[in-house]
Amino acid sequence: MSPLHELIAANGRSFRYALGLMLLVGGGTILALKVWSGLQSRLSPALWYAWQGGMLCALGTALGALPVIFMRSISARSYTAMLGLGGGMMLAASLFSLLPPAFQLADEQGLTSSRGSLLVAAAVVLGAGALWVLGHGLSRTSRARVNQGVGSSVWLFVIAIVLHNVPEGMAVGVAAAANLANADGLTLGIALQDVPEGLIIALVLAGAGMSLYKAVFCGAASGLVEPLFAVLSAWLAGASLQLLPWGLAMAAGAMLFVVLREIIPKLYRRADVPPASLGFASGFVLMLVLGNALSV
């Protein structure tokens, strides 16, 4: 075959691939819009609000994973700063966006200060313990089923990131069910801190030998647990008003567990302490600002 015919054939293949991609994106968009409108008509306002918030957080994770198509690595200092940013935002969300309304709702239900405090404390411990049990079980399962292409330690890291998203989805869902004043700020803050999480998980998978597009897909898919747990938590909390303070405090406990058990030890096992401290403080302050600025 002459070079001219090879060029024509190559251009024809490129055109077909581009046309197929356009049809796939267009059809996927139409399908997504139909599913979106169908869910809106079937879900209650609280569940629909929780679904929207969870999807916003999942979108943040997906947007963070996309740049990995054009990059293969990230500096250690940037990784540490982003990890600290996420940890600071989760700590602030637990202390100032979830626990205060849990105490307030317990008081509104007629509980004394001591009983309300015991309820919130028990729920915090329960949330942290439930996440520990879930993480322990998944870690043992992943060690028993080592993927041949990507090492087990990498998959353990992926599971850890996915587990980070569970309490975030819970927080979004319970905040929607409780109609918290700072629910928008909490959701936006979680969505913002999901961006570096998506980037990190996709980079780790790409660095372990996975193809770029598969790594981006897995990084984006890791955020899908958030709308799932957001809707589930909103439904459970909405089933009984008595469960609202429990749900808020359990989400706070799960977030605190992630910060204290996973993020802070990883930060200070690394040599880049100044970026870790600056990132952590910046995330803490950013969540405070968002929570107050978007409360009504």
Side-chain angles (χ1 to χ4, degrees):
M1 183 181 292
S2 66
L4 179 60
H5 287 95
E6 290 179 356
L7 179 61
I8 293 174
N11 288 334
R13 285 194 300 270
S14 299
F15 175 76
R16 289 195 298 272
Y17 290 152
L19 181 60
L21 180 61
M22 289 175 61
L23 291 174
L24 180 63
V25 172
T29 302
I30 294 173
L31 179 61
L33 289 174
K34 287 186 176 180
V35 172
W36 189 268
S37 60
L39 284 173
Q40 185 176 11
S41 63
R42 286 173 172 80
L43 295 178
S44 66
L47 293 182
W48 175 244
Y49 187 37
W51 171 257
Q52 285 181 305
M55 288 302 295
L56 179 64
C57 296
L59 177 62
T61 304
L63 290 177
L66 279 178
V68 176
I69 296 176
F70 309 102
M71 57 190 293
R72 290 300 302 269
S73 63
I74 187 172
S75 68
R77 294 174 68 88
S78 298
Y79 172 85
T80 304
M82 288 191 297
L83 191 63
L85 181 75
M89 296 183 79
M90 292 180 75
L91 180 61
S94 301
L95 297 180
F96 302 110
S97 297
L98 296 174
L99 288 178
F103 283 108
Q104 181 181 351
L105 287 169
D107 180 66
E108 291 175 357
Q109 291 177 4
L111 297 177
T112 62
S113 297
S114 58
R115 289 187 177 182
S117 299
L118 287 174
L119 182 151
V120 172
V124 168
V125 173
L126 184 60
L131 196 64
W132 179 83
V133 170
L134 180 61
H136 185 68
L138 288 176
S139 296
R140 292 183 62 181
T141 302
S142 66
R143 288 191 181 99
R145 300 177 181 178
V146 178
N147 184 280
Q148 297 299 320
V150 181
S152 59
S153 61
V154 175
W155 284 114
L156 287 176
F157 174 81
V158 173
I159 289 171
I161 293 292
V162 172
L163 286 177
H164 290 189
N165 293 333
V166 171
E168 294 167 4
M170 290 172 58
V172 170
V174 180
N179 196 24
L180 297 185
N182 63 345
D184 289 339
L186 175 67
T187 300
L188 181 58
I190 290 175
L192 289 175
Q193 72 106 44
D194 280 338
V195 174
E197 284 187 5
L199 175 64
I200 290 170
I201 191 171
L203 280 173
V204 168
L205 291 174
M210 184 177 286
S211 70
L212 290 180
Y213 289 100
K214 283 186 178 179
V216 169
F217 175 79
C218 290
S222 68
L224 294 178
V225 299
E226 295 196 52
L228 175 64
F229 275 88
V231 173
L232 178 62
S233 300
W235 178 75
L236 289 173
S240 173
L241 294 178
Q242 303 295 323
L243 294 177
L244 284 175
W246 284 93
L248 289 167
M250 285 181 65
M255 277 193 173
L256 288 173
F257 174 81
V258 169
V259 173
L260 297 176
R261 176 66 176 81
E262 298 290 337
I263 294 180
I264 290 179
K266 286 179 181 177
L267 288 177
Y268 290 98
R269 280 200 299 264
R270 306 178 69 87
D272 302 311
V273 175
S277 302
L278 181 60
F280 198 91
S282 300
F284 191 89
V285 172
L286 179 59
M287 180 59 85
L288 282 180
V289 171
L290 287 173
N292 289 323
L294 297 179
S295 62
V296 291

